Amino acid sequence: MTDTPQFHCGFVAIVGRPNVGKSTLMNHLIGQKISITSKKSQTTRHRVTGIHTEDAAQFVFVDTPGFQTYHKGALNEALNKSVKDSLGSVDCVLFLLEAMRFTSADKEVMALLPKKTPVILVVNKLDKAKDKLTLQAFIDEVTAEFEFAGVEVVSAKHGQRLAELLDQVRPHLPESMPLYPEDMVTDKNERFLAAEIVREKLFRYLGEELPYEMNVEVEMFEMDGALRRIHIAVLVDKEHQKPIVIGKAGEKLKKISTEARLDMEKLFDGKVFLQVWVKVKSGWADDVRFLREFGLN
């Protein structure tokens, strides 16, 4: 009589400086887009959980905000605290770096890495490496600074070598029954995901014009038969920031709303009626109580 193979399940934090590809990596690992991506720093402002289930293992990934010190204030402190908290309650950590770039911002995140939890160095954007020797020299430089449990080179954008990355993580997951149903890819509800989709479009279509002190608030999410009726307010800190989001004759906000609605209909597999408008709420980014209401503190 043979022993029944044990199931393994655990939490895996994905950490790194802003804009290094954490959200893109998690989306590809779970096979569905639930964490928003952008070239702008700190697009991710919540701890987003993504779930990947196999026959004998369940990986619960935590996508964290990018740790950074450029912006000051309660909002940034809350985001950085989220990174630190994530590292204290996981079974494995993926420390993400961009190939051939090891900056002071990366070193700030490295200083937060736990000593008693396995940390795997994940070198992203492998197309940035000119050749294997140059890449190996870069890896040697980084691994000299910290004792990693493993190293893997991937392309998060193109989904390359992700199976090999999972092979490295799997041995560090404890024996446990799965925490979530096998068809579940996130613990976030549709209300949360709707807000994240609108935020992504704001980042994508406003680019550098986008105010750092910006967030979105779901004011209504109702089911009308098979139709989802969703009202979302875009919060900005100053009156003069409203026209930036709205655009000439409302063109930018209309494009953002249309693209967000199409993404929601694809994700929710149903029709969506979406209304988005802009609201000024001065000082919200420095209001700790308000940040706590949004789950940012």
Side-chain angles (χ1 to χ4, degrees), residues 124-255:
N124 190 25
K125 305 181 183 180
L126 58 84
D127 55 299
K128 299 284 186 181
K130 295 178 181 178
D131 55 62
K132 289 184 178 180
L133 288 176
T134 305
L135 178 60
Q136 188 58 55
F138 171 76
I139 291 172
D140 290 344
E141 176 192 356
V142 178
T143 54
E145 304 265 344
F146 189 89
E147 188 174 344
F148 292 98
V151 179
E152 191 56 68
V153 182
V154 305
S155 171
K157 182 178 180 180
H158 300 291
Q160 294 177 303
R161 296 194 62 81
L162 300 189
E164 289 83 354
L165 176 58
L166 291 175
D167 287 343
Q168 293 221 39
V169 175
R170 199 176 292 107
H172 301 297
L173 303 182
E175 289 186 6
S176 168
M177 295 300 292
L179 296 172
Y180 300 97
E182 63 177 302
D183 59 347
M184 192 171 177
V185 295
T186 182
D187 65 344
K188 302 301 183 182
N189 59 30
E190 289 188 354
R191 187 184 184 98
F192 173 88
L193 294 172
E196 289 293 275
I197 287 171
V198 171
R199 278 206 317 116
E200 180 188 46
K201 302 310 175 188
L202 288 163
F203 277 95
R204 181 159 297 174
Y205 290 112
L206 297 181
E208 293 303 316
E209 292 183 280
L210 182 72
Y212 181 72
E213 295 84 3
M214 182 281 307
N215 209 352
V216 298
E217 179 179 18
V218 180
E219 298 193 336
M220 187 184 86
F221 192 114
E222 295 179 354
M223 294 298 300
D224 184 1
L227 175 70
R228 290 166 177 81
R229 294 187 179 276
I230 306 171
H231 293 178
I232 292 181
V234 179
L235 304 181
V236 294
D237 194 55
K238 305 284 192 304
E239 187 69 37
H240 70 82
Q241 295 170 337
K242 283 182 68 175
I244 297 174
V245 180
I246 295 170
K248 187 177 180 180
E251 290 180 1
K252 284 186 179 178
L253 191 59
K254 182 179 180 181
K255 186 173 183 64

Side-chain angles (χ1 to χ4, degrees), residues 42 68-80 108 212-213 285-286 291:
Q42 281 194 332
Q68 58 103 355
T69 56
Y70 180 76
H71 293 283
K72 303 296 182 182
L75 171 61
N76 189 62
E77 289 178 8
L79 296 175
N80 286 345
E108 285 183 355
Y212 181 72
E213 295 84 3
D286 286 313
L291 293 173

Side-chain angles (χ1 to χ4, degrees), residues 16-157:
R17 63 170 168 78
N19 201 25
V20 76
K22 298 181 297 298
S23 297
T24 300
L25 176 62
M26 187 173 77
N27 288 338
H28 276 86
L29 284 167
I30 67 172
Q32 188 166 327
K33 182 177 180 178
I34 63 162
S35 192
I36 69 176
T37 61
S38 166
K39 292 183 179 179
K40 187 141 177 122
S41 297
Q42 281 194 332
T43 311
T44 301
R45 289 185 173 176
H46 299 263
R47 291 175 55 174
V48 180
T49 302
I51 305 155
H52 171 72
T53 305
E54 303 175 344
D55 290 340
Q58 185 174 82
F59 304 76
V60 185
F61 294 102
V62 182
D63 180 20
T64 61
F67 187 90
Q68 58 103 355
T69 56
Y70 180 76
H71 293 283
K72 303 296 182 182
L75 171 61
N76 189 62
E77 289 178 8
L79 296 175
N80 286 345
K81 181 177 181 294
S82 177
V83 179
K84 295 175 183 177
D85 290 347
S86 296
L87 294 175
S89 57
V90 296
D91 302 293
C92 183
V93 176
L94 304 183
F95 175 50
L96 197 60
L97 280 184
E98 182 178 340
M100 314 316 296
R101 286 193 67 193
F102 187 36
T103 67
S104 58
D106 295 309
K107 293 179 180 180
E108 285 183 355
V109 182
M110 180 181 276
L112 301 175
L113 296 176
K115 300 297 190 293
K116 296 182 179 179
T117 302
V119 180
I120 296 173
L121 172 63
V122 183
V123 180
N124 190 25
K125 305 181 183 180
L126 58 84
D127 55 299
K128 299 284 186 181
K130 295 178 181 178
D131 55 62
K132 289 184 178 180
L133 288 176
T134 305
L135 178 60
Q136 188 58 55
F138 171 76
I139 291 172
D140 290 344
E141 176 192 356
V142 178
T143 54
E145 304 265 344
F146 189 89
E147 188 174 344
F148 292 98
V151 179
E152 191 56 68
V153 182
V154 305
S155 171
K157 182 178 180 180

